[in-house]
Amino acid sequence: MIEATSEIHVIPVAGIGEVREGDDLAQLLAPALMEAGISDGDVLCVSTKIVSKALGLVVAPEDRDAAVERSSVRIVARRLHTHRVTTVAQIPSGPVMAAAGVDSSNAPAGPLLLPEDPDACASFLQRALQERLGLQLAVVLTDTSSRVWRVGVGDIALGAAGLRSLEDLRGSTDGSGKTMAATVRNLADEIAAAADLVKGKSTRVPAALVRGLGHLVIGEAEQVPASALSRTGQDDWFRRPSLESVWQALGLPINQEPVARMSPEPDPERIARAIAIASLPRRPDDRSTAPTTSGARAHLIAPDLVEVVPAGTGPQEWAQAGALAERILTALGAESIASPLPPIEVRIVAPGSSPGSAPPRHPGPDAATAPVQSDQEDLP
């Protein structure tokens, strides 16, 4: 177990100035670091944004959305925030970030992309600074990110060099003598967050020194890259949020998926979305053996009633209506995961029946609804 130090100091590094494409960051940082009193064993935390500026990773404002798409390895979710759709995506280096990390703040020339390999950038900067300053230090490239289940943002480590980024406490004992089985501390993110307390976008301080952690500044053979800090692939417990997961299971291509809002949505809007999604055909490559819903139609008859009408009276048409009813129940169930909806019944009725007059033929379990406008049209 790593012994805690008695004191940690976080020192802002000022006087760097505006970074432009082609700038040598080590040359720009070295005088400012000396002015800040850099010492052997310090951890230098640098905003990844100035690395992106030096590398010229800028795009025109009108190309921002296309840049987000190009920078995304995997789309996790999309949410409507005021008038803009925010894409949450995994970036090439591993983390899942809003807008794939494409950022327009303090970027007068246009939105900035993140470097594809922040660990390599951190390593290059670390070696260059050590040669110039003649001391050993670690470098962490930081960026602002939100946290799952937490409000607000904080800095995380996108790249790291010369640092013991993780502390594995599994197998050691806690203060009461109990053996720990799951605890692994993310030291790099903790350091990045501490440094952000003295850095700032408005004050134009893109770097900070964290002193008192010399025991974590190590050689290349022992270092842990920041790419190892992301849960991706099979380790990712939440590859897609609940709504998107169900939409994907229902066979919707991503270009047909609707965009849910960040703010709470009224029940009628969620119900209408569930019916619309269920009514869309499965993607062409879906090999499900379930019958298609071709020809069947769904009607929202009342706040607590959806009727499904087959295209005809033959067995195939009734099977298609049953498939649509099941898809509606599944989509309503997905909408109810985050916030329960009142019960709504889904029934299949014979073609030509008066709306709301037929006896139930497909009673549904608890799903969802609330008062809806009576003039709502049939959904496709």
Side-chain angles (χ1 to χ4, degrees):
M1 184 184 300
I2 298 170
E3 295 296 329
T5 57
S6 56
E7 288 187 347
I8 296 174
H9 298 269
V10 185
I11 305 161
V13 179
I16 296 171
E18 182 64 26
V19 176
R20 295 177 173 81
E21 182 176 357
D23 281 348
D24 183 334
L25 281 183
Q27 183 177 344
L28 286 177
L29 285 165
L33 291 171
M34 294 175 66
E35 181 68 24
I38 188 170
S39 299
D40 201 66
D42 282 352
V43 180
L44 171 64
C45 295
V46 178
S47 170
T48 308
K49 181 165 293 180
I50 67 171
V51 176
S52 296
K53 288 182 177 181
L55 293 174
L57 302 179
V58 62
V59 296
E62 61 270 20
D63 294 334
R64 180 186 180 276
D65 290 342
V68 171
E69 184 176 350
R70 290 194 303 271
S71 301
S72 302
V73 172
R74 174 175 61 89
I75 303 297
V76 176
R78 293 178 299 164
R79 290 292 182 268
L80 184 62
H81 182 56
T82 59
H83 301 294
R84 176 184 287 276
V85 173
T86 296
T87 297
V88 180
Q90 181 183 336
I91 61 176
S93 57
V96 173
M97 305 185 74
V102 178
D103 193 358
S104 299
S105 62
N106 278 346
L112 290 166
L113 311 178
L114 293 173
E116 284 201 11
D117 192 343
D119 283 321
C121 294
S123 181
F124 181 86
L125 182 59
Q126 181 214 22
R127 290 195 300 268
L129 285 171
Q130 287 186 152
E131 290 176 5
R132 284 178 177 272
L133 301 173
L135 45 77
Q136 185 179 20
L137 72 155
V139 170
V140 176
L141 299 189
T142 73
D143 197 29
T144 302
S145 179
S146 56
R147 310 294 179 94
V148 177
W149 299 316
R150 301 294 291 175
V151 176
V153 298
D155 266 24
I156 63 171
L158 285 190
L163 184 71
R164 184 177 287 116
S165 299
L166 292 172
E167 181 186 12
D168 191 345
L169 298 178
R170 292 172 296 183
S172 61
T173 56
D174 62 15
S176 62
K178 183 178 179 180
T179 300
M180 291 183 279
T183 304
V184 179
R185 290 180 64 198
N186 185 331
L187 300 173
D189 280 357
E190 291 180 340
I191 293 168
D196 192 48
L197 294 173
V198 300
K199 296 197 287 95
K201 295 180 179 180
S202 59
T203 56
R204 294 188 178 274
V205 178
L209 291 171
V210 181
R211 182 165 299 154
L213 299 174
H215 55 293
L216 302 180
V217 178
I218 55 178
E220 186 173 343
E222 299 175 275
Q223 68 183 8
V224 176
S227 59
L229 307 179
S230 297
R231 289 187 183 271
T232 57
Q234 293 182 343
D235 289 334
D236 188 348
W237 296 348
F238 313 103
R239 284 186 65 81
R240 302 201 75 188
S242 56
L243 279 174
E244 283 83 358
S245 297
V246 175
W247 297 341
Q248 191 174 48
L250 287 173
L252 269 67
I254 193 168
N255 62 340
Q256 286 190 317
E257 289 182 2
V259 179
R261 285 189 279 164
M262 288 186 180
S263 54
E265 299 166 301
D267 290 350
E269 184 175 326
R270 297 158 63 199
I271 296 166
R273 179 168 62 212
I275 298 172
I277 285 169
S279 301
L280 288 170
R282 293 192 294 267
R283 57 178 174 262
D285 62 344
D286 188 351
R287 299 181 180 180
S288 171
T289 57
T292 67
T293 62
S294 177
R297 303 275 293 180
H299 305 259
L300 187 61
I301 301 301
D304 60 351
L305 177 62
V306 174
E307 288 188 346
V308 177
V309 183
T313 58
Q316 182 176 356
E317 287 83 7
W318 279 96
Q320 291 170 347
L324 177 55
E326 291 298 334
R327 287 170 65 84
I328 292 171
L329 289 169
T330 300
L332 286 169
E335 294 286 348
S336 299
I337 291 173
S339 178
L341 296 165
I344 182 170
E345 184 180 40
V346 179
R347 66 168 66 160
I348 304 174
V349 299
S353 300
S354 298
S357 62
R361 302 179 67 112
H362 192 292
D366 284 358
T369 199
V372 217
Q373 296 298 321
S374 60
D375 60 350
Q376 190 150 3
E377 297 291 336
D378 295 351
L379 292 156

